[in-house]
Amino acid sequence: MRIEDYALVGDTQSAALIGIDGSIDWLCLPRFDSPSCFTRLLGDEHNGFWRLAAAGRDRATRRAYVEDSLVLATRWETSTGTARVIDFMPVRSGNPDLVRIVEGLSGTVEMTTEIRIRFDYGRIVPWVRRANGHLHAIGGPDSVWIHSPVPLCGGDYRHEATFTVTAGQRLPFVFTWHPSHQPQPQAIDPLAELGPTVQTWQDWAAGCGYRGPWREAVVRSLITLKALTYSPTGGIVAAPTTSLPEHLGGVRNWDYRYCWLRDASMTLDALLRAGYVEEADAWRVWLLRAIAGRPEDHQVIYGVAGERRLPETTLDWLSGYEGSRPVRIGNGAAGQFQLDIYGQVANALYRARKQGMPPDDYTWSLLVKGAVFLEHNWDRPDEGLWEVRGPRRHFVHSKIMAWLAMDRVTRGAAELGRTGPFDRWSALRDRIHAQVCDKGYDPERNTFTQSYGSRELDAALLQIPIVGFLPPDDPRVIGTVEAIERELMTDGFVLRYPLAEDNPVDGLPGGEGAFLACSFWLAEARAMIGRHDDAVELFERLIALTNDVGLLAEEYDPQTGRQLGNFPQAFSHVHLIRTAQALSGARTAAPPAPAVARTRTRAR
């Protein structure tokens, strides 16, 4: 399957990827960052999967989410009839469940199912036995129960069945995980769970305050962000996958199942603009817990519960997606120094207060401590926004974000009547601004550059008018936008920065696709400099890249017409939302009160 051939289902604690062929090829339980029990996505069939499809058919006829939900309906049409498979994960109150319901719509359809459970990222073949008419798989700390309405025949370390479904029949399968040391959990009623699960998602989506022309794409992106939120803590993962490549066959394969301060800060703003104050506040509380401590110890990345130790290792038994190795878990960027996170966090909290989130002394104390740290460290080189694995540099975007942090703290102090060394910090803010305009700007080409003294460009420079570093009508802003269009665009999409053997900025071999967030930035920047029609044209071309169920990966390769990178990617969907809001001039509207509560519990 291509990356864009997958759809997502989840319960806001974990998620599964389901291919257009009806196969679940990726599922980590019980958390987003837990070891996977289906891993064919990064290996082969021996690493675990669960396929449920019409016999003899490689691809479904079509599929779609049940309107404004995360419940997936896949349609299979054959010469003898039509069937539908409904996939979802009910809202969790105890152990996670994955439900697959086969429905007969017309005639008779022969269906097949095959399941191979492999714990620990496809490495451990579990011991499987039959108990109480069901399958029980156990291996180390993991245990799974499979409740099947048809007999499953075992052999060659797999279980399979062929069965028929007729019009009006509904055959439910349930896959339930629990810790192996605990007793068998009480089984759910899968048919009874379907309606409430759909309703829960639809009620949540009804709270969207965006009323602009791209509402369908915005709502789907918001649902995706909600699905990537770890509900027990409020943390938002960058993606539910690891090691989907930025270049097919290459080494740019990273684990994104963690919470980036940068990504989550931008998500906070998008959620608030769309009317989701509850989710934004949950993220703010997560943030305050995660970064509590000394500012010099702030990390770029945290685990979903705020964990700081995320050691990067490789899984050598996996062949990688289309041969893209190594397969990595953990992320070494957690130990990098990236100046921009201080500006991103300060800006997110500033905008949250401006949009109605009440201020508090604890949040303000953390912001002040961050400003004290920046006062003594803003002029250090860093790894930058793109987490380069080459030498540290004085990245222009990083300095702009340091300026942004000082600007938001001094503005906030004036607006809230706080006391402190804000005259000194205001002067520092102006000094950073002057230095960037002096050392980060190339007057011959009328453009800002990637780092001090370099000639390379960087798509992150498109943030200059967006964050207010310079006004949109400044000739240097217009020149930078035009330079990026000349030098960083490929087939109408934007690269992050030049990749060439003589430009070792990121310390990695090989190329990558066009980074989708960068293209969204260009659309917003075009609108800000007065090129609204150009902005809309690019934005609608980007929306057209979403797959059949509205999802985006991290990157897009215009040469092959394929999505690349981890999937679905929160950063891409955040900027789809933000750009739609910017282009339509939408602001938070008072959403209609949901008909029922957004969350619910059930007895186990």
Side-chain angles (χ1 to χ4, degrees):
M1 296 288 100
R2 301 172 304 170
I3 290 171
E4 58 266 37
D5 285 333
Y6 288 96
L8 178 82
V9 299
D11 61 1
T12 71
Q13 295 190 48
S14 185
L17 290 190
I18 305 174
I20 192 71
D21 63 344
S23 180
I24 299 175
D25 289 346
W26 181 255
L27 175 62
C28 299
L29 292 171
R31 302 191 339 176
F32 291 110
D33 55 353
S34 298
S36 56
C37 52
F38 297 138
T39 317
R40 182 161 70 170
L41 181 70
L42 300 178
D44 58 31
E45 62 181 16
H46 299 290
N47 300 122
F49 69 97
W50 180 12
R51 186 162 190 257
L52 183 56
R57 297 300 174 100
D58 294 330
R59 295 174 68 89
T61 307
R62 60 180 178 271
R63 62 182 179 177
Y65 287 112
V66 177
E67 185 176 358
D68 288 352
S69 79
L70 202 67
V71 175
L72 182 70
T74 303
R75 189 179 182 92
W76 298 88
E77 296 178 358
T78 71
S79 59
T80 60
T82 302
R84 177 170 58 200
V85 177
I86 298 176
D87 292 299
F88 66 98
M89 295 179 72
V91 175
R92 193 186 309 187
S93 62
N95 300 295
D97 298 296
L98 175 62
V99 177
R100 314 195 76 180
I101 300 173
V102 182
E103 293 185 329
L105 299 181
S106 67
T108 300
V109 180
E110 185 178 62
M111 304 289 294
T112 63
T113 188
E114 179 180 354
I115 185 167
R116 296 190 183 208
I117 304 169
R118 299 293 185 267
F119 296 129
D120 193 24
Y121 298 104
R123 188 173 64 92
I124 295 177
V125 178
W127 175 53
V128 181
R129 64 186 178 92
R130 298 183 187 276
N132 303 320
H134 307 291
L135 292 182
H136 180 212
I138 189 169
D142 299 292
S143 178
V144 163
W145 288 86
I146 302 170
H147 302 270
S148 171
V150 299
L152 297 172
C153 300
D156 191 26
Y157 302 105
R158 64 179 181 175
H159 289 79
E160 59 185 352
T162 299
F163 59 96
T164 58
V165 59
T166 59
Q169 274 190 303
R170 303 177 84 191
L171 303 177
F173 296 76
V174 182
F175 180 98
T176 302
W177 179 96
H178 70 104
S180 60
H181 65 277
Q182 293 183 357
Q184 178 182 358
Q186 181 179 342
I188 65 169
D189 182 342
L191 297 178
E193 293 288 346
L194 175 58
T197 300
V198 171
Q199 191 67 55
T200 295
W201 283 104
Q202 291 180 339
D203 289 340
W204 187 86
C208 174
Y210 174 78
R211 298 291 183 263
W214 302 286
R215 181 175 168 80
E216 181 179 352
V218 168
V219 169
R220 178 50 52 192
S221 292
L222 285 165
I223 290 172
T224 303
L225 294 181
K226 177 67 172 177
L228 298 181
T229 301
Y230 186 66
S231 56
T233 66
I236 301 169
V237 298
T241 58
T242 179
S243 298
L244 290 180
E246 298 171 16
H247 177 71
L248 293 177
V251 301
R252 297 171 184 266
N253 319 316
W254 314 109
D255 193 346
Y256 274 19
R257 298 171 300 155
Y258 307 113
C259 306
W260 268 253
L261 292 188
R262 176 187 309 108
D263 301 34
S265 297
M266 295 180 177
T267 302
L268 171 68
D269 186 51
L271 289 171
L272 278 171
R273 290 196 198 187
Y276 291 100
V277 177
E278 179 182 334
E279 285 71 20
D281 187 60
W283 175 85
R284 182 182 64 88
V285 174
W286 173 88
L287 168 73
L288 298 179
R289 290 196 307 267
I291 68 174
R294 301 184 306 167
E296 55 265 40
D297 296 331
H298 288 182
Q299 292 190 180
V300 180
I301 315 168
Y302 295 86
V304 294
E307 298 90 347
R308 300 193 179 202
R309 294 180 60 83
L310 308 174
E312 185 176 300
T313 58
T314 60
L315 307 182
D316 297 332
W317 61 87
L318 293 175
S319 58
Y321 179 85
E322 294 197 14
S324 304
R325 301 183 71 187
V327 173
R328 295 181 174 93
I329 59 171
N331 200 305
Q336 288 188 350
F337 175 54
Q338 297 178 25
L339 271 172
D340 76 287
I341 63 170
Y342 297 91
Q344 298 286 8
V345 169
N347 188 48
L349 293 174
Y350 176 83
R351 290 185 59 84
R353 181 177 60 80
K354 299 292 280 187
Q355 295 180 74
M357 192 172 290
D360 64 84
D361 291 341
Y362 184 56
T363 301
W364 180 252
S365 177
L366 285 177
L367 287 173
V368 168
K369 288 181 179 179
V372 171
F373 174 77
L374 275 181
E375 186 176 13
H376 301 287
N377 292 275
W378 70 272
D379 55 352
R380 291 170 53 192
D382 73 336
E383 277 91 2
L385 165 73
W386 305 125
E387 301 175 354
V388 300
R389 305 238 168 166
R392 290 181 176 179
R393 298 170 183 247
H394 289 284
F395 287 103
V396 171
H397 175 265
S398 296
K399 305 303 184 190
I400 291 171
M401 292 296 111
W403 168 89
L404 183 64
M406 304 310 295
D407 180 76
R408 295 306 186 250
V409 172
T410 53
R411 284 176 182 264
E415 293 166 0
L416 295 172
R418 300 281 184 171
T419 59
F422 303 118
D423 288 342
R424 189 173 78 238
W425 289 353
S426 179
L428 174 59
R429 173 194 61 189
D430 296 342
R431 188 161 74 250
I432 297 172
H433 194 282
Q435 186 187 92
V436 169
C437 292
D438 177 37
K439 295 186 176 182
Y441 175 70
D442 182 348
E444 293 183 6
R445 296 155 64 209
N446 187 29
T447 182
F448 286 90
T449 59
Q450 184 179 56
S451 60
Y452 289 175
S454 72
R455 289 186 58 83
E456 290 82 15
L457 298 181
D458 192 317
L461 300 170
L462 294 166
Q463 290 285 306
I464 289 174
I466 294 173
V467 302
F469 183 80
L470 287 173
D473 59 356
D474 189 294
R476 292 167 294 182
V477 170
I478 297 172
T480 299
V481 172
E482 293 175 347
I484 287 171
E485 289 177 322
R486 289 193 306 270
E487 299 183 30
L488 288 186
M489 292 195 77
T490 175
D491 294 321
F493 301 99
V494 183
L495 300 173
R496 293 189 295 175
Y497 46 81
L499 287 175
E501 293 182 3
D502 58 352
N503 178 28
V505 63
D506 63 11
L508 294 167
E512 64 177 16
F515 200 81
L516 291 174
C518 298
S519 295
F520 284 117
W521 292 345
L522 177 59
E524 186 170 355
R526 281 177 170 177
M528 294 185 75
I529 65 174
R531 294 167 53 190
H532 190 268
D533 290 346
D534 291 342
V536 170
E537 185 274 332
L538 174 57
F539 180 63
E540 293 188 337
R541 193 146 37 91
L542 289 166
I543 289 181
L545 298 181
T546 59
N547 71 355
D548 57 322
V549 290
L551 302 180
L552 287 172
E554 181 181 29
E555 300 181 359
Y556 176 74
D557 183 357
Q559 302 299 317
T560 61
R562 294 183 59 175
Q563 294 194 31
L564 297 173
N566 284 301
F567 176 88
Q569 176 78 357
F571 210 49
S572 298
H573 285 282
V574 164
H575 289 290
L576 185 156
I577 297 165
R578 286 166 58 97
T579 307
Q581 292 166 334
L583 296 186
S584 63
R587 292 295 182 265
T588 301
V596 297
R598 290 183 182 173
T599 59
R600 65 188 183 88
T601 59
R602 66 170 188 266
R604 273 282 184 181

